[in-house]
Every structure is written in structure tokens, then in C-alpha cells.
Amino acid sequence: MPSASNHDRYRLLQLMMLASVVVIALFVWQGNKGFSLWDEGFLWYGAQRVTLGEVPIRDFMAYDPGRYYWVAAVMELCGSNGIMAMRIALAIFQAIGLFVGLLLIARALKKQSLVYLLLSTLILTAWMFPRYKLFDVSLSIFLVGALTYLVEKPVGRRYFLAGMCVGLAAVFGRNHGVYGVTGSLGVIAWLTINRSESYSPVSGLLAWSAGVITGYCPILLMLIFVPGFAAAFLEDIRYLFEIRTTNIPLPVQWPWRVHFTSLPTSDAVREILIGTFFIGLLIFGAVSLLWVVRQRMLNRPVSPTLVAASFLVLPYAHFAYSRADISHLAQGIFPMLVGIMVALSRQAAQIKWPLAAVICAASIWVMIAFQPGWECRDGKCVGVEISHSMLQTAPGTARDIALLRTLADKYAAHGRSFIAAPYWPGAYALLERKSPVWEIYPLQRRSGTFEQDEIKRIEAANPGFALIDEMPLDGVDALRFSNTHPLIYQYILNNFVPLPGSPNPYYHISKANSQAQ
């Protein structure tokens, strides 16, 4: 037993080292590449405000609070609220997620194979995108790990710990809580089939429920003790039910809809592969689920990791299909990837190796084009100083940053606020200014009452200029800011003076009028 224990510890250390080395290498390659005023800026602004004592959801539009406090804690350790400190926080979370994913695959191998683990590393790492969504990527892997731990030995303590992981995942993203609950209930139901374990599933469900509540305690305590948070949190949930969606939907790019004549061959192949992965989510999710249930009914052994992954594939497929772009596919694909690599590990060599190689090649082919390091190859990016760090960004982004700095210097000096809507929440983080409005990423229509409240905030903040990007999101005219927020847009027209010489026909730039000065 001591030797086996030492061997297990050595294997854990190897996997930790592998995950850490890969993430560090990626960070060295592209840690200072790329920058998004959009989604990345949304996370960065929130983390900055948390370091200043503000509360996510209550004080500014935000995801669930967990990720902001994680980033803020790392920022404090780094002594910086800059973009690179945030990316370090994300890389740490990524390394933990990659380690857990590799551990799940390694534990399923009948015979340890470094080559197979390296293939798995390439596949998982390729799909860890986008950088600012690495929390969501890793959380999906953690949930597979938590349910694997339960299936291996369904006793009270493991039911509780699995539930606690689900609750903690919800602290970072309530959608992960929903997917975790769905997968957990499926696994608990699976454990009742031809039950051979002595522990009662009813008792297990109670222990799991207690674990969920325990894991979700940070939010529950905030609801009780943080003034104003409960009302804002409940309003945030109510709004989701009002709009009946969590994302602005996009159609799936099915493989048969790709037009070879209008795309370069490499891009057409990539589009076909992306569509194939979307199809694979549904097929693998359904087939694997039916297979593990059938194996259970026949009292045949099944890999615990495959069981856990199978019950999470379809819930996460919902997220991928909610806005069918590469970003959401990447965030929803990991239960399938882990499940496939575990399933292949048990196959004969003539099946395992060719299929694993094909999945690896397809993953790299699809995802390499979206990596910031690849996008900045051959001098395609330009240097820009952001929060005291030199980053390489796309020329268009660099021009937008220069525009914001010029406008701030002229019309919002000495820390004065400004308006940048709807796509640039990162503008506030870039210039370290507080947003004059709660809704820092105003993409969807809001009620008249909500807009009037935002107008009152604008009046109180007295912003020096406004930059409204009237580009229609996804090419949909109804999603222009003037259509989703007509009262705020009209207020800006009435109270700000248009500036000539906009560098982009969609950018409506204006300064505060003389009365506001």
C-alpha cells in the first residue's frame, strides 16, 4: 500500500506539472496578445470595481460574483488591477481545470500512456477558449470530476461533496449550477438502477442537497448580509425570465450549409468541422447516455468518468446551442471531450489511436485560428500600452483605444465619467473610470422604467462625452442601441453635442453640452 500511495502521488505530481507547464507556455506565447473591449472588458471592469469595494450585480451589471472575487484576490496578490493581473488569475484557474481533466482521463486508462495523455492535453488545451471564459470551461470539468467521485463510491460523504461542488459552481455561474443539478439528478437516478450499493439514494439525495446549500453559502450569505444585493439578484433573475433567454441566439452553421465558393478552402473546412462538433454534442450526448443506462441495467461495469460526462453533455450542449458561435461551443464541449477520450481509452489500439489523432487534428485545425497568439503572428498586431503593460492588439482595437484616450483627455479629464455603449464595457476599465450606468453591457431591450433609472444615474454622474456604437449586433437592426434603449439614446441626443469627424460611421460621438459643463 505505501508504494501504491507513493505511485499515486507521483502521478498526481506529473499531471500537475504537465498542466502547469502547458498553461505557462501558452501564457508566454500569448499572454500579452489580443484585447477585447467587449467581453474581456466586461470581466475586467467588474474585477476592478470589486477591488474598490463594489458588489457585482448590485452595483454593476455582472455575471455571478464568484469569478470577480477570484480575479480581485489575485489582483491584490499581484499588487495591480491591470489586464495582465486578470489574465494571471484566469491562467491559474485554467491550469486547475486542465489538471482535473487530465486526471479524469488518466484514471480511466487501463495502462498509463504518456502519448495518450499528451494527445488529450492538446485536445483540451486547444478548446480552452476564449481566455475570459476560462472559468466556465474549468467549471464544466470540475463538475465531471465531482460526479465521477460520486459514481466511484456513492456514500453519504461523496453525495455531500458532489452537491457542494455544484453549489460552488453556481457561485461562479448560475447556469453551471443548473447544469450541475441536472447532471447530478441524472447520476443519482442512474445509481438507483439495479442498485447494489448499500447507501440509500434517498439519503444520498438529502446529503447532496445539503452539499448544494453549503456550496452556495457565499451567495446565500450575501443575500442576507449585503444591503441591496438580494433585491438586485432577484431582479436579475426576473429579467432572465422576462426575456426568456440567456443569450442572443445565433443559428448553427451546419456542415451542409457551408458555401465553399465564398470561402477559402481552409476556412470552409474549419466551418464544416465546427458544424460537425455541434452535431457531435447531440449524438454523443444521446448515445453515451443510453449506453451507460443500458450497461447499468445489464449490471456491466462502466467507467465512472464516462457516466459523469454522459449526464453532463446534453446540459452543456444547451449552452453551446444558446448562441451557436465558436465561443459558446468551446464553453460547452468539455464534458463531451472528456467522455470521448475516456471511452476511446478502453478501445482496441486500431480504433483508439486513429480516432484520438483525428479528434486532436480537428480540434487544433478549428481552434488555432482563434488563438490570440496565432492572430498576432507575422506582425499582424501592433503594440499598445494598457494598464502599464505592453500588449499586442489588432490595429482596429488599437485605434479604438487611442480614440477613447483622446476623447477622455479632452472631454473627461481628471477622472470624469463618460458613456461608452453598448459594446465597450472595457473602456471604463481601460481608463479606470466608474461607469455612469449600471448596465455596462446593454445589448438587450429594457423597460422604460429601467431606462429612466439609468438616465437619473447619468445625470448624477455628469459624463463628459458619449460614444454610442450603432452597429447592429449580428446584423439585426432591432439590436441597435437606439432600438434597444430608445429613451437613453434620445436623452443623449437632447443633452450632448455631436462631434464631427467620427472615424467610424457607426460611432456616434458627442460631448456634454454647455449646461452640463
Side-chain angles (χ1 to χ4, degrees), residues 343-466:
L344 285 180
S345 71
R346 303 298 182 96
Q347 302 303 310
Q350 59 268 32
I351 296 176
K352 175 174 71 174
W353 293 111
L355 287 180
V358 166
I359 293 170
C360 183
S363 297
I364 293 173
W365 184 282
V366 167
M367 297 306 300
I368 189 67
F370 301 102
Q371 299 298 329
W374 182 262
E375 291 180 332
C376 285
R377 72 193 186 282
D378 301 329
K380 293 181 179 180
C381 292
V382 297
V384 178
E385 187 273 325
I386 298 177
S387 61
H388 309 294
S389 297
M390 184 56 66
L391 270 62
Q392 296 291 313
T393 71
T397 302
R399 288 191 294 270
D400 291 335
I401 290 171
L403 172 63
L404 284 166
R405 285 173 170 163
T406 299
L407 291 171
D409 288 342
K410 192 168 184 179
Y411 303 109
H414 309 299
R416 188 176 182 182
S417 186
F418 61 90
I419 301 170
Y423 306 125
W424 290 359
Y428 306 118
L430 174 76
L431 301 176
E432 296 190 62
R433 310 290 173 85
K434 178 177 173 59
S435 167
V437 293
W438 177 88
E439 192 183 27
I440 59 173
Y441 210 178
L443 301 180
Q444 306 220 49
R445 182 178 291 276
R446 290 282 187 168
S447 69
T449 301
F450 177 89
E451 288 195 74
Q452 292 290 354
D453 289 339
E454 291 285 74
I455 289 171
K456 291 177 183 177
R457 295 185 183 100
I458 293 172
E459 291 175 338
N462 186 27
F465 71 90

Side-chain angles (χ1 to χ4, degrees), residues 43 50 56-57 62-73 93 135 139 168-174 216 218-219 222 229:
L43 177 62
V50 165
I57 300 176
Y63 300 118
D64 289 278
R67 66 191 69 202
Y68 296 101
Y69 287 103
W70 173 279
V71 175
F93 214 82
F135 286 111
L139 287 168
L168 280 172
V171 172
F172 286 80
R174 68 195 69 163
Y216 202 58
I219 301 297
M222 289 179 71
F229 179 74

Side-chain angles (χ1 to χ4, degrees), residues 141-164:
I141 300 173
F142 296 160
L143 288 174
V144 176
L147 295 185
T148 298
Y149 186 68
L150 172 60
V151 173
E152 284 178 345
K153 189 176 181 181
V155 297
R157 181 172 64 90
R158 296 198 178 202
Y159 275 101
F160 177 83
L161 290 174
M164 189 169 69

